[in-house]
Amino acid sequence: MSWAKGLRFSSLRSGIALWHAARFNEAAACEEWALAKFKALGERDDYVNTLQSFANTEIARNDIDKAEKLAREALSLVDGPYTALLTGRIEMQLADLTLRRGSVVESFGHADRALTAFGEAHDPRGEANVMMKLAELHDHVGANDDAPAFRLGG
């Protein structure tokens, strides 16, 4: 196993364990350390995934501004064969973050881009998650009757 691969598995396991133990400050320190190492090694995919994970940790620590900054950085770096899937996941994260800030219109935009990305990735589960977010957004503005009807898989 390469050093970089070992780092990936070690940091992932440590961060997840700390996160599930609600030790968010320690999880954040682990993720910051891993980000620095992945950046130094040029491990772009692992860096992007760790940014998204770190954003979730910052949500748990109630630092929405930092979480949004991390998610936006991750989105700007997405590249490769899983671009559509990762873009969909990060756009969903941004839809949630912008809604928490009260920016419903911006949240709709992120949800729409997530739906497009998950469609390109042929990921019906991702599409279904977006549809639930869209229903929440329509409910938030009291426009349930205007909510579009969606159909998965075709």
Side-chain angles (χ1 to χ4, degrees), residues 4-16 18-19 24 26-59 66-75 77-78 86 89-90 93:
K5 196 174 205 175
L7 170 65
R8 180 181 317 127
F9 291 127
S10 175
S11 64
L12 178 64
R13 282 192 303 252
S14 298
I16 290 172
L18 290 166
W19 202 91
F24 303 121
E26 293 166 89
C30 179
E31 288 160 338
E32 285 176 339
W33 177 85
L35 281 172
K37 297 298 180 188
F38 288 140
K39 188 172 191 174
L41 292 168
E43 294 286 334
R44 186 182 185 126
D45 292 343
D46 291 318
Y47 186 81
V48 168
N49 285 324
T50 304
L51 279 171
Q52 188 182 10
S53 176
F54 192 10
N56 285 329
T57 299
E58 291 307 310
I59 292 168
K66 186 171 182 180
E68 187 174 346
K69 180 180 177 248
L70 293 164
R72 288 185 188 282
E73 182 182 354
L75 186 61
L77 295 172
V78 171
L86 291 172
R89 289 178 183 168
I90 298 168
Q93 189 176 46

